[in-house]
Amino acid sequence: MTSKTRKLLAAAGGLVVLLLLLLALVPALFGGRIAERVKAQVNRTLLARVDWRDAHLGVFHDFPNVTLGLDGLTVAGVGRFEHDTLAVVNQLRVVLDLGSVVRSALGGSGPMVVRAVELDHPVARLIELEDGTANWQITRPSADTTGGRAVRVSLKRFTIDRGAILFDNRAAKVQALLKGIDQTLSGDFSKDLVDLETRLHADSATVRFANLTYLNGVRADLTANVRADMVKKLYTLREGTGLRLNELALAAQGSVAQQGPKGERLALDLAFGAPKTDFKGILSLVPAVYAKDFKSVRTSGALAVSGRVRGEYGKDAFPAFAVSAKVTDGTFRYPDLPLPARDVALDLALTNPGGSPDSTVVDLSRFHVVLGRNPIDARMVLRTPVSDPDVDARLKGTLDLADLRRTVKLDQVQELRGVVSADAAVKTRMSWLDKGQYDRVAASGTIAARDLAVKGAALKQPVTVTEATLALAPRRAELRSLSGTAGSSDFAASGAVENLLGYVFRDEDLRGSATVNSNRFVLDEWKSDTGSLKVIPVPKGIDFALAATVKQLLYGKMRMSDAHGRLRIKDQRLTLEDFAVNTLGGSIGVTGYYETTHPAKPTFDVGLKLQQLDIPQAVATLATVQAFAPVAKYAQGTFSTDMRLTGPLQENMLPVFAALTGQGTLQTSQLVLKDFPALEKLAAKTKLTFLTEDAIRALRSQFTIENGRFRVQPFTVGLGQASMQVAGSNGLDQSLDYTLHLAVPRALIGPQANQALAGILSKATAAGFNLQAAPELGLDVRLTGKVTDPAVGVDLGSVAGSATQAVQQAAEQRAQAVVDTAKQRLSAEAQRLLAEADSSAAKIRAEAQALADRVKAEGNQRADSLAARGGTNPLAQTAAKAAADRLRQESDARAAQIVREANARADSVVAAARRRAGAP
């Protein structure tokens, strides 16, 4: 090899390395810009919230083009669809022309060119409301592209891997669900006239119209060759286009055109039919037959299927269509089963003149089959299925379930026997039932079952029905009798179903009422076993009122008797009204509800009245008692409570204790506590031996449950002659936080307790308090730690404090007694002093009055003597009389003065006595 050749090879190798390096750098250099540009363009053109978890570029997935990958793509609605998700895509890959990407990233002119789109695990929910508003109508009326360049689609490949689509037209009552979708679409969309090829597969396709199911979980395969006129928006089906539903092959032809400014309407002109006339094709649409070994089924009979759709579909538009299916002389048989199905005949027509889905007429003019020796016949005509279902239906025949099992392979069924017979007819409009116009309703006949037994994977427990009779009547269907077993439980019921047709044709809840009786019912047998779930689910679509009586009801460790009350099942909620049951040595009353709207997260809200329940049995059985009353496992006796509890349940049906809230009252009988660690530690610390005695007096308290803790309001409980006040809480982690106050009579404090409290006693004595004289000691205790390993803290200062207080109280009482005695003595002395003073005052007054009387008498006597000395001389008489009068006046004045002075002296004596006696 020459030097020149080596240089050329080296240069070529360098160019290749440089090219690969540039290709590797393009995603790193321009990935962020391109992702931002795509998001900006999307937000300008769509009325939706579009987002993704991650965006990345690659050059080797579709070399030499660039692949833009969006992981975790979501498209959410706005406005009326604010809370709806239109689409979720695990990964979206968009293949872009490399040259257009580089030009766009460098600010050059020209659009980015899309070559291919790939969707991995997309899920789409397409919903059209009653007024024609659809959640997929997310293109802005006038897309604002200011500041950005267009994205040109030159699509050559479109693929879907493992997708799912739900379509729900609520005005037309059309629902379709496709699961497990794989699709490939190829064609050059850059041209005005494109030849498209598409292959679509769905693992499961279900189609319902007016609440009737026409396809149920069938496998679907669509092969379409289409000539697409992109200018006229006209798509014409070419030869080779066909649809396969399980084993039924249909060939199609015609065209679809987009009409309207936004292509919001579709002009349909389609025809289809079954090229083969083998009965086996339509038989494959029966799920029970198609499920197992269908290829081995031998059939005979003729099939004819044809249909045509013509007209516009969109808002305020519905196309005309006519679909017919006819089977004559059909038979089928599995080679390894003994019985064939014979004389199968079907004549079904669906027609609509166009304009409205409510104009559809479903006419099943004949259905006939013979299983074993029993024929079954049915017919039905359904008109105005959307607005006011007009039904004319009849069913007559007998089905021996054992014959059914000998005709059809039912691998999930272990046992099937019994006889079901029907001879019933209904002719009515739903509006007549809604308005109570039962005189216009024709409904008669019965549906009955006897000696029925079913056991299979779809049932939690085997079910037997001894007898059952449902009688149709214009007003309602009466369940005249129903008796049998479910697992090891027995049941008997009677009642009525009020809206059987509404349940069938309007998808309404099945309403009714019944009386149910059972001798023994085992709830454990009906726990869900989906994954780790043990929830007992409340069924959907049921609105029933039940009056129930169960003699023996079993759930877990609980054994209950005489259960009775009213139950309401509605909206996956079981509501109990005045439900009562005897259990655990007492009784439980329940009013409230249990709900399984979200089966993995059931909730409850109940009021409970527990009367005289045995504590050991309750501890062994009730998780709530174990969680919130851990002391109960050391107790014997009974308790009663009236409480309200609300919160979620776990998957094992136990409450989520940390999320429980509640409140109530608690009462107990006299309790026996054995080996309770908290009291044992307290007794060991204080040497108060009575704390280890078994019996405590009955108690009553109020409590709340919140944030995983059980909190009690302060209450007092008797411990023999002592008492204890309790307040605090305990938690789900068995933690304790309580304060106790013991009031202990002095007589209960023995030598060991005195020794344990010697330090406090000596301090109190040194302070001048004789605690031996205290009649009662108070002891404050802090209880923390765990139930099984508590920490006991004793406030010894409270002993001295309480004792000192007791001594002070005793001293005050004695002092008061002395004072009272002194007062009594003082009162007696005061009475004596006052009495002596009154006596002295009276004596003074009496002596003074006597003296005054003598002075007055002596003065009068002397005045009379002086007047007598005047004789007969008039002058002498006048002078004597005047002298006598003066003497009398002086005597009276002297007597009055004596009395006044005596009264003053007497008053002074009394006043002095009152002062000495303390009298007012």
Side-chain angles (χ1 to χ4, degrees):
M1 181 179 295
T2 65
S3 174
K4 185 176 181 180
T5 302
R6 285 196 298 270
K7 290 180 180 179
L8 288 173
L9 290 175
L15 288 173
V16 171
V17 171
L18 179 60
L19 178 61
L20 291 175
L21 180 62
L22 288 174
L23 291 174
L25 288 175
V26 165
L29 293 174
F30 306 126
R33 296 182 186 177
I34 294 172
E36 290 176 1
R37 182 174 172 185
V38 170
K39 182 175 286 190
Q41 183 69 22
V42 166
N43 288 330
R44 280 193 297 269
T45 57
L46 298 183
L47 286 168
R49 298 194 309 274
V50 180
D51 200 3
W52 48 77
R53 183 178 64 253
D54 186 31
H56 49 83
L57 279 177
V59 294
F60 300 110
H61 179 270
D62 202 282
F63 186 83
N65 295 311
V66 177
T67 301
L68 171 64
L70 302 178
D71 297 338
L73 173 67
T74 60
V75 182
V78 297
R80 299 177 65 180
F81 300 100
E82 179 72 26
H83 301 291
D84 289 339
T85 299
L86 172 60
V88 176
V89 183
N90 181 55
Q91 186 178 69
L92 166 66
R93 288 185 293 270
V94 181
V95 179
L96 305 170
D97 177 79
L98 178 61
S100 70
V101 170
V102 174
R103 287 193 302 272
S104 176
L106 295 176
S109 61
M112 281 195 296
V113 179
V114 178
R115 299 295 188 189
V117 176
E118 301 172 356
L119 302 176
D120 178 54
H121 284 72
V123 177
R125 297 176 68 250
L126 309 178
I127 300 174
E128 184 173 344
L129 302 179
E130 287 80 355
D131 62 0
T133 306
N135 69 340
W136 65 82
Q137 295 170 346
I138 58 175
T139 304
R140 292 182 183 274
S142 176
D144 180 11
T145 59
T146 304
R149 298 183 182 88
V151 176
R152 183 167 67 87
V153 178
S154 181
L155 193 66
K156 293 186 178 180
R157 185 177 73 255
F158 177 82
T159 63
I160 296 176
D161 183 29
R162 309 307 296 165
I165 297 176
L166 168 67
F167 174 77
D168 184 3
N169 185 327
R170 296 177 182 176
K173 290 193 175 182
V174 175
Q175 296 93 30
L177 176 62
L178 302 180
K179 298 180 180 178
I181 299 173
D182 292 324
Q183 181 185 19
T184 61
L185 172 66
S186 60
D188 189 351
F189 282 84
S190 63
K191 299 179 179 179
D192 292 339
L193 195 62
V194 187
D195 287 330
L196 303 176
E197 292 184 2
T198 184
R199 303 291 183 268
L200 182 145
H201 167 81
D203 291 340
S204 171
T206 299
V207 177
R208 288 171 58 83
F209 172 59
N211 295 319
L212 294 179
T213 300
Y214 293 87
L215 297 177
N216 186 11
V218 304
R219 191 189 71 224
D221 291 279
L222 172 67
T223 300
N225 300 315
V226 180
R227 171 62 59 91
D229 187 330
M230 306 305 292
V231 176
K232 297 180 180 179
K233 298 181 180 180
L234 175 64
Y235 308 91
T236 304
L237 302 183
R238 304 180 70 184
E239 186 177 354
T241 297
L243 174 65
R244 189 178 187 90
L245 303 173
N246 285 345
E247 302 301 320
L248 177 62
L250 301 172
Q253 59 185 2
S255 64
V256 178
Q258 289 182 272
Q259 295 186 349
K262 305 174 187 176
E264 63 272 15
R265 289 191 179 191
L266 297 178
L268 305 173
D269 187 358
L270 301 171
F272 59 88
K276 295 184 179 181
T277 59
D278 188 353
F279 167 58
K280 192 171 185 177
I282 200 168
L283 182 66
S284 70
L285 302 184
V286 181
V289 177
Y290 189 71
K292 183 70 173 177
D293 296 338
F294 184 75
K295 289 184 178 180
S296 67
V297 175
R298 300 170 184 172
T299 64
S300 64
L303 164 70
V305 176
S306 63
R308 187 169 188 88
V309 181
R310 180 176 292 172
E312 292 187 354
Y313 177 79
K315 186 177 181 181
D316 301 325
F318 197 81
F321 65 81
V323 180
S324 65
K326 190 169 185 177
V327 175
T328 55
D329 300 325
T331 65
F332 71 89
R333 180 175 182 175
Y334 288 87
D336 51 348
L337 291 182
L339 288 179
R342 300 179 287 111
D343 300 335
V344 180
L346 172 73
D347 197 343
L348 173 66
L350 285 76
T351 59
N352 189 306
S356 169
D358 202 33
S359 301
T360 301
V361 176
V362 179
D363 185 1
L364 177 63
S365 59
R366 187 186 184 203
F367 173 79
H368 176 82
V369 64
V370 177
L371 292 179
R373 293 175 296 177
N374 299 311
I376 300 172
D377 290 278
R379 62 171 179 80
M380 183 190 72
V381 177
L382 173 64
R383 296 180 175 85
T384 57
V386 177
S387 64
D388 184 15
D390 181 352
V391 184
D392 184 357
R394 182 173 182 83
L395 174 64
K396 183 176 182 179
T398 299
L399 176 62
D400 188 326
L401 297 179
D403 286 346
L404 177 64
R405 194 177 183 191
R406 290 193 288 267
T407 303
V408 179
K409 288 194 173 182
L410 304 172
D411 287 351
Q412 300 299 313
V413 178
Q414 287 81 50
E415 181 181 6
L416 185 64
R417 58 180 171 83
V419 177
V420 178
S421 59
D423 187 358
V426 174
K427 186 176 182 181
T428 185
R429 284 182 174 271
M430 288 300 303
S431 60
W432 298 345
L433 298 174
D434 294 339
K435 297 175 182 178
Q437 298 173 334
Y438 300 108
D439 57 321
R440 307 180 70 176
V441 177
S444 61
T446 60
I447 301 173
R450 67 178 187 276
D451 301 327
L452 185 148
V454 182
K455 181 180 180 181
L459 290 172
K460 285 290 299 175
Q461 298 294 331
V463 174
T464 68
V465 175
T466 305
E467 65 169 347
T469 303
L470 184 69
L472 299 186
R475 184 178 295 271
R476 56 186 182 178
E478 293 185 4
L479 181 63
R480 293 179 177 173
S481 64
L482 174 63
S483 62
T485 63
S488 60
S489 306
D490 68 275
F491 60 86
S494 61
V497 178
E498 298 177 1
N499 69 326
L500 190 58
L501 293 180
Y503 176 72
V504 173
F505 292 106
R506 283 188 175 172
D507 205 21
E508 297 176 350
D509 288 353
L510 186 62
R511 296 195 310 271
S513 60
T515 299
V516 180
N517 297 291
S518 175
N519 292 309
R520 183 176 184 270
F521 204 93
V522 184
L523 286 172
D524 293 284
E525 296 179 344
W526 298 96
K527 289 181 179 178
S528 169
D529 57 2
T530 303
S532 60
L533 288 179
K534 298 299 180 183
V535 172
I536 299 176
V538 181
K540 296 180 180 179
I542 300 295
D543 181 359
F544 250 72
L546 304 175
T549 301
V550 182
K551 292 183 179 179
Q552 186 180 22
L553 184 63
L554 308 179
Y555 179 66
K557 298 179 181 179
M558 292 189 70
R559 299 295 183 266
M560 297 166 276
S561 63
D562 191 24
H564 60 276
R566 297 186 301 277
L567 294 81
R568 177 73 181 274
I569 301 173
K570 184 179 182 181
D571 299 330
Q572 292 187 272
R573 173 183 285 190
L574 173 63
T575 302
L576 301 176
E577 298 178 2
D578 300 326
F579 185 83
V581 62
N582 296 328
T583 186
L584 305 178
S587 65
I588 297 178
V590 184
T591 297
Y593 69 80
Y594 158 71
E595 187 174 55
T596 58
T597 304
H598 304 288
K601 297 179 180 179
T603 59
F604 73 98
D605 184 346
V606 297
L608 297 172
K609 287 188 177 182
L610 283 60
Q611 298 291 329
Q612 300 298 314
L613 297 193
D614 179 73
I615 293 177
Q617 291 186 60
V619 170
T621 305
L622 301 177
T624 306
V625 174
Q626 298 169 15
F628 287 117
V631 67
K633 68 180 179 180
Y634 305 101
Q636 294 181 355
T638 63
F639 76 98
S640 300
T641 182
D642 188 349
M643 62 179 172
R644 187 85 188 181
L645 277 179
T646 182
L649 294 171
Q650 303 176 65
E651 294 178 351
N652 58 4
M653 292 290 286
L654 292 177
V656 180
F657 292 109
L660 277 184
T661 59
Q663 61 182 359
T665 60
L666 173 68
Q667 301 177 67
T668 72
S669 64
Q670 179 168 302
L671 301 179
V672 174
L673 284 180
K674 288 186 177 295
D675 306 322
F676 182 35
L679 288 183
E680 288 186 342
K681 282 195 175 183
L682 182 58
K685 199 161 193 174
T686 62
K687 306 303 180 184
L688 296 172
T689 57
F690 71 88
L691 293 175
T692 60
E693 295 176 0
D694 294 339
I696 64 174
R697 292 197 294 271
L699 61 87
R700 179 182 177 89
S701 69
Q702 294 182 329
F703 64 85
T704 59
I705 297 174
E706 189 176 8
N707 297 326
R709 297 198 71 82
F710 181 84
R711 304 179 186 277
V712 296
Q713 301 300 316
F715 68 92
T716 301
V717 61
L719 300 170
Q721 299 178 38
S723 64
M724 179 170 63
Q725 188 180 69
V726 181
S729 68
N730 54 267
L732 296 173
D733 57 357
Q734 304 290 288
S735 63
L736 301 173
D737 186 8
Y738 280 95
T739 57
L740 313 177
H741 179 75
L742 280 168
V744 186
R746 195 65 182 81
L748 296 181
I749 303 177
Q752 289 183 332
N754 278 326
Q755 185 177 1
L757 303 175
I760 293 301
L761 296 173
S762 62
K763 290 179 182 179
T765 302
F769 298 107
N770 180 15
L771 298 189
Q772 303 298 332
E776 184 178 89
L777 294 183
L779 191 67
D780 287 337
V781 178
R782 181 71 185 277
L783 190 60
T784 56
K786 302 287 186 178
V787 174
T788 54
D789 185 20
V792 178
V794 180
D795 183 5
L796 295 178
S798 65
V799 178
S802 62
T804 300
Q805 184 179 5
V807 170
Q808 289 175 341
Q809 289 177 350
E812 290 173 359
Q813 290 174 354
R814 288 196 297 273
Q816 187 63 41
V818 171
V819 170
D820 291 343
T821 302
K823 285 183 178 180
Q824 290 175 358
R825 291 177 179 174
L826 289 174
S827 179
E829 180 67 14
Q831 294 296 328
R832 185 185 65 77
L833 291 174
L834 291 175
E836 289 180 353
D838 288 341
S839 178
S840 296
K843 184 177 180 180
I844 291 171
R845 290 188 179 94
E847 290 177 350
Q849 187 64 44
L851 180 59
D853 289 342
R854 282 199 307 274
V855 169
K856 191 173 181 179
E858 290 176 356
N860 289 333
Q861 185 178 5
R862 289 170 60 194
D864 291 341
S865 176
L866 184 60
R869 292 176 184 178
T872 58
N873 187 332
L875 292 173
Q877 290 179 350
T878 301
K881 184 177 183 299
D885 291 339
R886 285 197 300 273
L887 184 59
R888 288 189 182 95
Q889 291 176 353
E890 289 176 357
S891 297
D892 290 342
R894 178 59 180 161
Q897 183 178 1
I898 291 172
V899 171
R900 284 196 302 272
E901 290 176 353
N903 285 335
R905 194 164 59 251
D907 290 340
S908 178
V909 169
V910 171
R914 285 183 177 278
R915 286 194 299 273
R916 289 177 61 189

